[in-house]
Amino acid sequence: MIKIYNAYLDIETTGLNPISSYITVVGILLENNYEEYFYQLIGPEITAYNIMILLEKAHTLYTYNGSRFDLPFIKEKLGLDLEEHIYHQDLMYSCWKRGLYGGLKRIEKKLGITRKLKNIDGKMAVILWDHYIEYGDIYALRLLLEYNREDVINLKILKEKLLPLNL
């Protein structure tokens, strides 16, 4: 199979420890020179099979801190080692090579990458999921999905800003 897409991935979880937490949202953007596709898996849709179907045509997977968080979390919870199937580039380390340190939101500010949802972070993402599960709050779910979408889209923008600097 010809692999023709770059993929950008970000997950939302109920906590930092995969032993006591679970994945609530997986956001994936696939893009090449001609098209982009954005997908989100939510709750029970999050399976190793579904993630692999989405990534089957991707040649490179981009994350931010994915080596230390997203990919190990996926491996622990789903038994899926994405690095066995796809080349992974963690943009956090590309930032470090340029003296850019901090979380994704901090790096975005330094590089002038904007966000619509300025007051939402990982802690708030957990609260939004809890409100959705506990109260059926669809607005909370929509906000969580938009937050995840911004994270994923901004990974592509970050990669593009780093490209002239030779990742």
Side-chain angles (χ1 to χ4, degrees):
M1 170 180 303
I2 298 174
K3 297 191 175 214
I4 56 173
Y5 292 96
N6 287 322
Y8 305 86
L9 177 140
D10 183 66
I11 67 172
E12 307 306 329
T13 67
T14 58
L16 298 176
N17 185 340
I19 294 170
S20 59
S21 307
Y22 61 93
I23 304 168
T24 59
V25 179
V26 176
I28 296 173
L29 172 68
L30 297 173
E31 61 96 21
N32 62 23
N33 291 334
Y34 310 103
E35 56 198 354
E36 286 187 4
Y37 300 99
F38 181 75
Y39 303 94
Q40 285 175 311
L41 301 171
I42 306 163
E45 300 171 346
I46 301 168
T47 65
Y49 177 80
N50 286 345
I51 291 171
M52 285 308 300
I53 288 293
L54 292 176
L55 294 176
E56 71 180 345
K57 291 186 179 178
H59 59 77
T60 304
L61 177 65
Y62 295 95
T63 64
Y64 190 91
N65 195 30
S67 297
R68 297 191 311 183
F69 184 72
D70 304 74
L71 274 54
F73 213 106
I74 288 170
K75 185 175 180 181
E76 174 70 28
K77 296 311 278 187
L78 304 176
L80 173 61
D81 185 348
L82 284 171
E83 291 183 295
E84 287 182 355
H85 302 280
I86 185 170
Y87 174 73
H88 173 235
Q89 181 154 359
D90 190 329
L91 295 172
M92 180 179 72
Y93 298 115
S94 301
C95 287
W96 287 7
K97 289 178 186 174
R98 286 156 189 78
L100 297 167
Y101 298 97
L104 180 59
K105 284 27 157 221
R106 185 171 180 196
I107 299 300
E108 289 170 352
K109 283 181 185 176
K110 288 180 180 179
L111 295 176
I113 300 171
T114 59
R115 279 186 174 261
K116 287 185 241 168
L117 302 174
K118 297 181 188 323
N119 297 320
I120 298 180
D121 58 13
K123 289 179 187 174
M124 179 56 100
V126 174
I127 293 168
L128 291 170
W129 179 258
D130 287 345
H131 273 261
Y132 167 64
I133 293 300
E134 213 169 305
Y135 306 110
D137 187 344
I138 296 300
Y139 175 75
L141 177 62
R142 286 185 185 147
L143 206 51
L144 174 61
L145 295 176
E146 184 57 32
Y147 168 72
N148 174 260
R149 180 182 182 88
E150 276 193 307
D151 277 353
V152 176
I153 299 298
N154 283 358
L155 288 174
K156 179 185 176 209
I157 296 168
L158 175 60
K159 185 200 78 162
E160 290 169 352
K161 286 193 174 269
L162 294 173
L163 263 181
L165 307 170
N166 294 325
L167 281 172

